[in-house]
Amino acid sequence: PISQGGRPGRPDLHDVVRSFQIFFPAFPMTESLRKGSAIREPLRIFIAAENQAECDRIAQRLTRALDMKIAGSATSAAELEAAMRCDAKLDVLITDVMLGADDMAPVLTRIKHLRDDLDILIYTAFSQDPFVIRAILAGATGYILKGDQEDLVTSVRLLKGGGSPVSPTVARSVLRAIHSRTFAPQPPQPQKHETPENLLLSQRETEILTLLAKGISFSEIADILSISHHTVTAHIKKIYRKLQVHSRGEAVYEASCMGLLSDRIGS
């Protein structure tokens, strides 16, 4: 007899049932056997990395675990977004914060709007504070660094168990961001005689930046605010110049830290 917990050197019931199904796929499993074996569907994992060789290396580390299955891979932001728009069920996305020249923060924001229940694990060599904070603001629930001691398989299981695997260096970045935002001098409140033009961002620029933070495209912003695409582009250039940034992710991060983002969109 084989106990469900198994014994050292012997397969447990889970392994026996799995092997039996491989060799005899037509074997009908009874309800009691299903419950007793505690067999679960493997976690469906999608991988996004800078090249296919890196995707394959990550996949090889994960497929050693019986409870994980690679559902696909991508090496660019466009490939990743296209895959995320498919109906295939996914449990975990493992991605770098940069794919080539693409900043993944705005991409992750859009993916979270499409798949709110998808867990996102960042696996990267980028440990700088802006990368960490933008990824977390975009919806990442884990952030581990390549070369650290964290095991990738264990991190995925922790993620699906409700935890947030984070490398120690990354945790320090998050704490620094929280500390600087908590104790940084607050921007002066406008006096009664001041007009919106005296503020760092105008009302329209704040509206556009708030929509950018939600992952909405330039053309969609133009439709929502009933203005032209060229006007949206002009406002965004002014926003970047005022905040001294060069991308959507940086703009959202800086504005969030400064308390400039509005939770409501004006008419």
Side-chain angles (χ1 to χ4, degrees):
I2 300 174
S3 65
Q4 184 169 339
R7 298 179 183 176
R10 298 185 181 182
D12 62 12
L13 185 57
H14 178 100
D15 295 326
V16 172
V17 173
R18 180 179 291 274
S19 299
F20 199 87
Q21 286 186 294
I22 291 173
F23 290 103
F24 301 94
F27 175 70
M29 291 186 66
T30 63
E31 186 62 27
S32 60
L33 186 55
R34 289 180 191 274
K35 293 180 179 179
S37 63
I39 292 178
R40 297 179 181 177
E41 286 291 324
L43 295 174
R44 290 160 290 252
I45 302 171
F46 196 95
I47 301 169
E50 57 186 347
N51 54 59
Q52 192 56 49
E54 178 66 8
C55 288
D56 293 341
R57 279 193 291 270
I58 295 172
Q60 187 176 17
R61 294 176 60 182
L62 296 173
T63 50
R64 296 171 185 169
L66 294 177
D67 58 341
M68 296 183 191
K69 175 183 178 181
I70 306 305
S73 63
T75 57
S76 71
E79 287 182 5
L80 177 58
E81 288 203 74
M84 293 299 106
R85 293 183 184 279
C86 295
D87 293 332
K89 185 171 179 6
L90 297 171
D91 298 298
V92 177
L93 167 62
I94 298 177
T95 181
D96 207 323
V97 290
M98 293 290 295
L99 292 185
D102 294 323
D103 176 7
M104 295 304 292
V107 177
L108 296 182
T109 299
R110 293 193 292 272
I111 289 174
K112 286 299 289 184
H113 279 287
L114 289 172
R115 296 174 175 267
D116 184 55
D117 59 343
L118 180 67
D119 279 310
I120 299 176
L121 175 63
I122 301 298
Y123 184 56
T124 184
F126 292 94
S127 60
Q128 296 92 331
D129 292 6
F131 288 104
V132 173
I133 302 305
R134 285 204 304 270
I136 292 174
L137 289 174
T141 41
Y143 198 116
I144 61 176
L145 300 176
K146 296 177 180 179
D148 276 12
Q149 298 299 315
E150 284 78 6
D151 178 69
L152 198 54
V153 170
T154 302
S155 296
V156 171
R157 288 173 178 159
L158 176 61
L159 199 66
K160 292 310 297 179
S164 291
V166 176
S167 294
T169 304
V170 174
R172 181 176 284 261
S173 295
V174 175
L175 291 174
R176 272 198 301 264
I178 294 173
H179 185 274
S180 63
R181 183 169 182 178
T182 301
F183 297 102
Q186 296 298 313
Q189 296 298 317
Q191 301 299 317
K192 290 183 179 180
H193 65 276
E194 290 183 318
T195 63
E197 288 73 21
N198 300 129
L199 303 178
L200 179 59
L201 295 182
S202 69
Q203 180 180 352
R204 179 63 85 191
E205 289 166 351
T206 301
E207 292 173 346
I208 291 174
L209 185 56
T210 302
L211 291 170
L212 284 175
K214 296 178 182 295
I216 298 175
S217 68
F218 290 10
S219 58
E220 290 172 329
I221 291 175
D223 292 338
I224 291 172
L225 299 179
S226 299
I227 56 180
S228 72
H229 183 277
H230 294 297
T231 301
V232 172
T233 303
H235 279 303
I236 290 173
K237 287 181 178 179
K238 289 181 181 178
I239 293 170
Y240 286 3
R241 186 168 59 251
K242 289 181 177 181
L243 297 180
Q244 298 182 358
V245 298
H246 303 284
S247 69
R248 177 200 298 248
E250 290 177 331
V252 172
Y253 170 64
E254 291 296 334
S256 297
C257 291
M258 298 172 70
L260 299 176
L261 279 180
S262 172
D263 293 330
R264 298 175 61 187
I265 307 300
S267 56

